[in-house]
Amino acid sequence: MARKGFPESYDVRALMRFLAELKAGSPKVGAPLYSHLTYDIVADEEIVLTSPDIVIVEGVNVLQTPSRRGRVEASVVVSDFFDFSIYVDATEQDLERWYVDRLLLLRETSLHDPRSYFNFLTEYSEDATREFARSVWEQVNLVNLRENIAPTRGRANLVLEKGGDHAIGRVRLRKL
């Protein structure tokens, strides 16, 4: 979990095969099913798209270039398959607050499921949960944001800047 969300935690080749099949017009394309409960891929389950008109690919590392993935030679990247890309931006302080608040809310709701990866937090006090969340933010999420996510902002066609209340405060559209 210390590297969850970092580029190496993604099966980029599988994602690229999936996107290539979609772009080639394959009538049915399957992808692994991800569980937000267990924070992992569900074994032997997939989601199948059947001739979709629109596909939205969400991910913190989908705008990376080969050099951001530790490679220097030219190659195809995930975003080569995108017709349009959006980067949703916010201040580090807002992102941290939203992460901590979300984990506190989850502690009171879905984390009570014993299958939940973070079920142990239901035994923590609110202060202990807040401390745990800040630690994860500082040691994992903030590092990933600074090293891998924020540097890709300039590659997006559209950047939406959110304020502390989640409202869009600024919209930047690159020349199309």
Side-chain angles (χ1 to χ4, degrees):
M1 281 300 276
R3 299 293 290 178
K4 191 77 164 171
F6 281 73
E8 67 269 18
S9 70
Y10 288 86
D11 187 343
V12 176
R13 283 193 176 120
L15 177 56
M16 300 255 292
R17 277 193 304 272
F18 170 80
L19 294 171
E21 287 182 39
L22 282 174
K23 279 287 194 179
S26 296
K28 287 187 178 184
V29 181
L33 183 65
Y34 183 83
S35 168
H36 287 279
L37 182 69
T38 62
Y39 282 74
D40 208 349
I41 291 172
V42 179
D44 302 322
E45 290 201 34
E46 68 177 4
I47 184 168
V48 177
L49 300 181
T50 306
S51 300
D53 293 321
I54 296 172
V55 175
I56 297 173
V57 178
E58 182 274 332
V60 295
N61 290 302
V62 296
L63 294 177
Q64 288 197 323
T65 62
S67 63
R68 295 235 45 94
R69 294 192 326 244
R71 298 173 62 190
V72 292
E73 72 275 4
S75 66
V76 177
V77 295
V78 172
S79 60
D80 288 341
F81 294 96
F82 299 166
D83 295 317
F84 193 79
S85 59
I86 301 171
Y87 185 102
V88 181
D89 201 9
T91 67
E92 290 179 0
Q93 295 78 16
D94 285 337
L95 291 169
E96 177 182 8
R97 183 172 45 81
W98 296 337
Y99 178 75
V100 172
D101 289 349
R102 179 174 169 263
L103 208 51
L104 287 169
L105 176 63
L106 290 175
R107 179 180 154 265
E108 300 302 320
T109 56
S110 63
L111 298 186
H112 284 276
D113 186 322
R115 296 171 298 161
S116 171
Y117 181 83
F118 287 114
N119 174 262
F120 65 90
L121 291 175
T122 61
E123 303 298 319
Y124 282 28
S125 68
E126 182 175 326
D127 286 341
T129 302
R130 190 177 302 280
E131 184 178 319
F132 172 81
R134 284 196 175 111
S135 173
V136 171
W137 171 258
E138 290 173 9
Q139 296 174 23
V140 180
N141 298 351
L142 182 58
V143 173
N144 195 22
L145 174 66
R146 289 178 176 169
E147 290 180 4
N148 302 301
I149 303 166
T152 69
R153 176 180 31 236
R155 298 195 69 241
N157 299 111
L158 178 69
V159 176
L160 302 175
E161 294 180 9
K162 292 175 71 173
D165 61 354
H166 290 278
I168 302 298
R170 185 173 177 204
V171 176
R172 291 186 292 159
L173 178 64
R174 272 188 20 193
K175 184 178 176 182
L176 296 177

